[in-house]
Amino acid sequence: MQSPDAAAHLRGPAAHELDDQHALRLHALRQGGAEAMLRTYGPSMRWRAPVLEVVYPVDRDLCLDGRGPLLVPSHFARSPVDLADTALPPTLVRPARPRTADDTPPTHKGLALLLGHTRAGVLQALGGDPTTTELARRAGGSLSSASEHAAVLRGAGLVSRVRQSNAVRHALTPLGSALLREDGDR
């Protein structure tokens, strides 16, 4: 019988990506609680206490009635889907992959005035907990520029980071999420 580490190469990059997302969410949970962890789900899911808002094809409410939701990543889901069988725990199947550069919304004018266009773009590109390389690609800049902007945003308390093997993943803090949300509501 092989150890889990010996068989790790058989799992492929998709499984490693899920492991990285899981580690980042555990870090957010430990650092800021359930609300901070829920904020790491990026643009298709947004936490506004006490409601988890999800971009969904129809407008509907799913009442949990005291039951915790099960959030299941899927490489086949393009958008979140809820399983509405009341006999089962409330389940939300969500896309496993973070948004790509093509999905990045245009920079909000208020953020650009406050942070500058490039840094505001970097802040907005943080959905899905990207690595520094992914962040550079999404923001349309160099690796060193993305790293520098992420460091400044982290210093301002808008971004957190966690090292995953040989990469660093970045996530919005509650303050960073609130800044994006407030600017987007204008």
Side-chain angles (χ1 to χ4, degrees), residues 132-158:
T132 307
T133 302
E134 292 166 341
L135 186 59
R137 188 188 77 244
R138 290 180 191 179
S142 69
L143 184 60
S144 61
S145 175
S147 179
E148 180 182 335
H149 286 299
V152 170
L153 293 168
R154 190 173 53 257
L158 303 176

Side-chain angles (χ1 to χ4, degrees), residues 171-186:
L172 291 170
T173 63
L175 180 60
S177 294
L179 185 62
L180 282 175
R181 184 172 51 251
E182 288 301 316
D183 192 57
D185 289 345
R186 293 178 176 252

Side-chain angles (χ1 to χ4, degrees), residues 7 19 31 46 58 66 90 97 100 114 134 162 167 181:
D19 290 345
Q31 296 298 313
R46 181 164 62 178
V58 295
R97 295 200 46 83
T100 64
L114 178 66
E134 292 166 341
V162 64
R181 184 172 51 251

Side-chain angles (χ1 to χ4, degrees), residues 43-48 51-55 181:
S44 63
M45 297 171 67
R46 181 164 62 178
W47 176 250
R48 287 191 184 192
V51 175
L52 179 61
E53 297 175 348
V54 179
V55 175
R181 184 172 51 251

Side-chain angles (χ1 to χ4, degrees), residues 91-103:
T91 303
L92 183 70
V93 178
R94 62 171 184 81
R97 295 200 46 83
R99 73 180 180 198
T100 64
D102 297 335
D103 302 327

